[in-house]
Amino acid sequence: MVKATAEAGFTLLSPRRGFNKYEEVRAVANWCEKYGIDYMPWMRGSLAAPGDQRPAGQKLMWANGRQQPLWSPNSGELWRWLTRHIVEHAKISVHCRRLVGVFLDFENYAPGGDKQPHCYGLSYDDAIWSEFVRDQRISEPCTDPPRRA
């Protein structure tokens, strides 16, 4: 597949599978080196949150107050997940120069997105709302999620 991609004149390969299988990432990077094209593993830029996520209140929340079953962009869980995989790709790229980055896809594929085309713009989840109230020194904050925006 890498050879056919290169022969067709493409200069970059970004397959939608295997970003978290590091031996495969390394193998594809080596094949890209062999055929003279660059490589960016494709990775979804959102992470599903379980229904009983801990700590509570860290699901993505839209301005209308509806939650989506994704970790908020403000959650440590999302950032630990992104960091873990991106750092592993960076380590591989030290030895495989054709691995030039990671393609992060922030398009919203999760259910309940209220036709929001991408994640993440701004989340009105409890975690970020509490920080906003504290930083703005709001004494009587509105706690009704649809009114937070």
Side-chain angles (χ1 to χ4, degrees):
M1 182 175 77
V2 176
K3 181 181 178 189
T5 301
E7 288 174 350
F10 291 95
T11 60
L12 184 122
L13 180 72
S14 188
R16 287 188 51 141
R17 293 183 182 190
F19 77 91
N20 57 345
K21 298 175 182 172
Y22 304 125
E23 288 307 312
E24 287 181 27
V25 168
R26 190 173 281 106
V28 173
N30 287 329
W31 292 328
C32 286
E33 176 71 30
K34 179 178 178 178
Y35 295 107
I37 63 173
D38 291 331
Y39 171 46
M40 292 180 75
W42 179 94
M43 183 175 168
R44 182 163 284 158
S46 60
L47 181 63
D52 63 341
Q53 92 276 10
R54 303 281 187 264
Q58 289 201 18
K59 284 185 183 176
L60 174 64
M61 183 181 291
W62 298 106
N64 64 7
R66 288 194 54 189
Q67 284 189 325
Q68 198 167 2
L70 297 171
W71 284 103
S72 161
N74 309 300
S75 75
E77 187 68 28
L78 173 67
W79 287 99
R80 281 186 292 277
W81 179 77
L82 287 168
T83 300
R84 180 177 73 242
H85 292 300
I86 293 169
V87 166
E88 286 304 315
H89 291 122
K91 288 177 184 177
I92 295 168
S93 76
V94 170
H95 303 288
C96 301
R97 67 182 188 92
R98 289 296 184 163
L99 198 161
V100 296
V102 177
F103 179 84
L104 288 172
D105 184 354
F106 289 101
E107 191 169 344
N108 192 347
Y109 297 102
D114 293 333
K115 299 185 172 119
Q116 298 294 329
H118 60 83
C119 302
Y120 295 100
L122 182 61
S123 180
Y124 296 88
D125 57 86
D126 294 343
I128 198 64
W129 182 250
S130 297
E131 288 183 39
F132 174 77
V133 167
R134 184 192 70 231
D135 289 350
Q136 296 297 310
R137 295 181 175 90
I138 299 171
S139 59
E140 294 183 33
C142 165
T143 57
D144 183 31
R147 295 183 51 215
R148 291 178 182 179

